[in-house]
Amino acid sequence: MEKVLDVLKTSEEALKSKEISEIAGIDKKEIDKAIKKLKKEDKVYSPKRCYYSIR
């Protein structure tokens, strides 16, 4: 989850989970799980469908 947050912090725009997985070098399924948890914790939001950004 920390790697996902780090990638989103360094990005100036919202990213798709596939883009996050390519940058972080982690499997997309793991990224999706981490994003789901981060959304519950209100640390990540989706400004438009399938894109994610940090709060």
Side-chain angles (χ1 to χ4, degrees), residues 11-27:
S11 174
E12 293 181 15
E13 54 189 44
L15 298 172
K16 290 183 175 185
S17 58
K18 183 177 182 187
E19 295 169 330
I20 297 169
S21 75
E22 290 171 357
I23 293 169
I26 302 172
D27 187 52

Side-chain angles (χ1 to χ4, degrees), residues 1-9 24 26 34 38 41 43:
M1 281 188 350
E2 293 301 317
K3 271 202 164 190
V4 174
L5 284 175
D6 291 341
V7 170
L8 290 173
K9 284 178 188 175
I26 302 172
L38 290 168
E41 295 173 9
K43 293 182 179 179

Side-chain angles (χ1 to χ4, degrees), residues 20-48:
I20 297 169
S21 75
E22 290 171 357
I23 293 169
I26 302 172
D27 187 52
K28 185 180 174 295
K29 289 180 183 179
E30 295 300 317
I31 298 295
D32 291 336
K33 287 179 189 176
I35 287 174
K36 189 174 181 179
K37 287 181 183 178
L38 290 168
K39 282 177 80 172
K40 280 187 178 180
E41 295 173 9
D42 204 34
K43 293 182 179 179
V44 171
Y45 74 104
S46 184
K48 59 184 176 180

